[in-house]
Amino acid sequence: MKDEIPKRWIAELLLVIVAAGWGIGFPVMKMVVNTYPVMMILGLRFLLSAFLLLPFSLKGLGALSRQTLLSGLLLGLLLGASFVFLIYGLQLTTASNTGFLAGLSVIWVLLLTGPLMGKRPSFEAILATLFGIAGLYLMADIQGWQLQLGDGLVIIGSLFTAMHIIALDRFCARHDNMTLTFLQISTIALIFLGIQYISGGEVLPSNWSSKLVLALGITAVFSTVIAFWVQTHYQRHTTPTRAVLIYNLEPVFSALFALWLLHETFSANVIFGGGLILLGMCLPGILKVFSKSSSVKLRE
């Protein structure tokens, strides 16, 4: 038991680093999305990620079934749609707004999982959704319920992220996780670069600026490959509830990195609205922790 506690704290510290790796993604992408074509940037990011994951995926790919291939392609399409809306939205809004609004996917998952299983949404899901809507209203500069275009695109992206999470939960139990990840990332890379080529745009940049190299390196290595490796190897040493609470730190890191790298300023609306969205994301996990501690006390 004593050995398990240090192991759990080490695992949770590494999961915090995962959340930071995800959080830095939006600010560094913001540095290049207004200079280079979005499809080219996303295609190169995921192509690099696929090459880095290939050595770890060779065993699973050698025994690839038709069902695994189709599942990976579907997941890739959902994740690709998510990134298209998120990154085009990022062009039109701030990196901090994008980080918080993309975090709404956690709430959409709670809200959609019940109905998809033929059940009503839970009380926690409804409460989290209300916090999310209130935070969205405050931070997204909504006037007369007319949402700013950039923020609206990010919200649509968060819905596709939620659908991807729900689909991934169903497929992961049936297929090898590393193989699924490689197939998703490869699918996204080929689709993005294919669209860029068909539309007549350049597939490779004529000018490799230091910002582009930095953005591709950070998002491919830290936000994708290392993050997935840590998740796969260390998430099992903590509880799902605690893991979700840690992952909810992503928009906080996104805002902090945006403040540091992009010198973005936060209005009171962004701070309070983002806080409400974060609270809505964490609420189900917090309630579970309290309910478990209460049940333990009752047994005692």
Side-chain angles (χ1 to χ4, degrees):
M1 182 69 180
K2 289 182 179 179
D3 292 337
E4 285 296 319
I5 293 174
K7 188 181 289 185
R8 190 186 76 182
W9 283 112
I10 292 170
E12 290 178 351
L13 177 62
L14 290 170
L15 294 183
V16 170
I17 295 172
V18 169
W22 290 340
I24 199 173
F26 289 124
V28 296
M29 288 293 280
K30 182 70 175 178
M31 293 163 58
V32 294
V33 291
N34 292 320
T35 307
Y36 297 92
V38 170
M39 289 295 173
M40 183 189 73
I41 295 171
L42 290 175
L44 291 175
R45 167 186 172 173
F46 288 107
L47 185 64
L48 176 58
S49 299
F51 275 123
L52 293 172
L53 283 171
L54 182 58
F56 306 101
S57 311
L58 288 174
K59 184 178 178 181
L61 291 171
L64 185 64
S65 67
R66 182 171 177 269
Q67 290 78 8
T68 302
L69 176 61
L70 291 175
S71 298
L73 292 175
L74 176 60
L75 290 169
L77 290 172
L78 288 173
L79 191 59
S82 166
F83 270 97
V84 167
F85 283 106
L86 289 174
I87 302 304
Y88 274 114
L90 179 62
Q91 280 188 313
L92 303 172
T93 188
T94 63
S96 52
N97 267 33
T98 303
F100 280 113
L101 295 176
L104 287 170
S105 59
V106 175
I107 297 173
W108 303 148
V109 169
L110 292 170
L111 198 62
L112 294 172
T113 302
L116 288 174
M117 295 177 66
K119 300 177 182 178
R120 292 182 178 179
S122 65
F123 170 74
E124 291 87 350
I126 294 171
L127 199 58
T129 303
L130 291 175
F131 273 100
I133 292 171
L136 170 62
Y137 183 86
L138 275 177
M139 73 174 294
D141 193 23
I142 300 175
Q143 297 175 352
W145 288 104
Q146 292 183 352
L147 197 63
Q148 300 298 312
L149 178 59
D151 294 332
L153 291 174
V154 174
I155 293 168
I156 295 172
S158 73
L159 280 168
F160 274 103
T161 303
M163 288 188 280
H164 172 262
I165 291 169
I166 293 168
L168 185 63
D169 184 59
R170 293 195 173 189
F171 292 140
C172 271
R174 307 173 194 171
H175 308 285
D176 178 67
N177 289 355
M178 184 65 77
T179 306
L180 276 183
T181 302
F182 177 80
L183 289 171
Q184 291 176 74
I185 290 174
S186 301
T187 300
I188 296 171
L190 291 174
I191 289 174
F192 287 157
L193 291 177
I195 292 173
Q196 181 68 8
Y197 177 77
I198 292 169
S199 64
E202 55 181 5
V203 176
L204 293 174
S206 54
N207 174 32
W208 287 82
S209 69
S210 57
K211 287 184 178 180
L212 177 62
V213 173
L214 182 67
L216 292 176
I218 288 176
T219 54
V221 177
F222 292 100
S223 303
T224 307
V225 177
I226 291 178
F228 175 77
W229 186 86
V230 171
Q231 268 189 294
T232 304
H233 288 80
Y234 289 95
Q235 185 174 309
R236 64 178 180 268
H237 295 302
T238 187
T239 65
T241 301
R242 292 173 71 93
V244 169
L245 287 172
I246 292 168
Y247 294 149
N248 288 343
L249 291 172
E250 178 192 353
V252 177
F253 281 116
S254 184
L256 292 175
F257 282 122
L259 184 67
W260 175 40
L261 297 173
L262 305 176
H263 308 292
E264 289 186 359
T265 56
F266 306 143
S267 66
N269 278 16
V270 169
I271 294 171
F272 288 116
L276 283 174
I277 290 175
L278 187 63
L279 182 58
M281 292 162 61
C282 296
L283 198 60
I286 294 170
L287 291 175
K288 280 186 181 179
V289 170
F290 274 109
S291 64
K292 284 182 180 178
S293 62
S294 299
S295 63
V296 169
K297 287 181 181 179
L298 286 173
R299 287 175 187 173
E300 292 175 350

